[in-house]
Amino acid sequence: MAAVYKTVSKKKAQQPMEELDDEDIEMEELLAAEDDTTDSEEEEEDEGVEEAKKQLASGFMPKTRVLILTSRGASYRHRHLMSDICGLLPHTHKETKLDTKKKTAGYNLLLNSLADLHSCNVIFFLEAKKNGQDLYLWLSRPPNGPTIKFHLNNLHTMGELGAGFAGNCLKGGRGLVVFDRSFDEQGPDMGVAGSEYRALVREMLRGVFCVPKRGVRGMKPFVDRIIGIFGVDGKIWIRVYEIRESEAGKKKEGEEAKTVPKGKDGQPEVSLVEIGPRFVLTPIVILEGSFGGPVIYENKEYVSPNQVRREIRTSKAGRYSQRRDDQTDRVAKRSGLGLSENSARKPDALDTRKLFA
């Protein structure tokens, strides 16, 4: 409504001169009228900012919509992860694979245009490289940013965890996002001075995993799961648990009904059962814009998987070359001592073959 009011007021201010009265209008009056319109717009913007601050202070979460998609070359495990996250979060919009062969366009134009097309304000993009060996996660706030790039490893989907982790969560339910104390103590080191960027990572993860209270199609008014975010060894560990309450057993003939075990507060006991998916995130870089812009944080301790594989190949090649050198030295030594079959050593009189011939 505020946008409509602004457009109407601008149209009224820009009326053609033919519709005006025949009376002479001075330039000072026109300038004063323009100043009045700009003042009203500034006041409306200030009122909107104050109202947004009040809503955030009261616990109201703005409407968010997450666009989730993968790049070309994703494996079946990556597709299963995407389907698990879409089933876990009802405010997501699943899109087909992004064609990354268009090098001229880049991620900036393609993903931002897709987010604008589907009215999404958060992008959850899974980029697969090396034929699905490496998986990277991009979290962005289009169109102005910021963007965080993670390396995703130790991936286990709901199907891989087995029947022991099969839960009974309601599809479309909301979950509680819990940041453990270890996230601030042992999480990613975003600058030792003040850890300014750690709050940015927290806010981006909260925007993805926190389901809004209203405005989501297909959402159920139940809270039956917990999304735990932990920090260990400078990495972010994400686990999903089901909230399970103890229930009374069925009453059989000739037996007494079992009572429900209760806690100290008189409420039924609550236990947590892991349902998946689970994965580990390693922050790599934070960009100021949406899939572009200057770098505002870079993880100096991050080692790419390509470098790890290169060091493994180099160590294997070094072991092989050392083994070949040892074999060459052994052959040369045997030929020098005359122990080889084709050696030209003269027979000795005290040789075993001569003495016991």
Side-chain angles (χ1 to χ4, degrees), residues 50-68:
E50 292 178 358
E51 184 177 358
K53 289 182 179 180
K54 291 180 180 179
Q55 290 178 353
L56 291 175
S58 61
F60 174 78
M61 186 176 178
K63 182 179 179 180
T64 58
R65 184 175 170 86
V66 182
L67 175 66
I68 178 170

Side-chain angles (χ1 to χ4, degrees), residues 168 242-250 258-262 268-271:
N168 192 20
E242 177 195 358
I243 303 175
R244 183 172 295 180
E245 296 183 357
S246 57
E247 298 180 356
K250 295 183 179 180
K258 296 181 180 179
T259 59
V260 179
K262 296 184 179 181
E269 292 184 356
V270 177
S271 59

Side-chain angles (χ1 to χ4, degrees), residues 101-106:
K101 293 183 179 180
K102 300 178 181 178
K103 301 295 183 182
T104 56

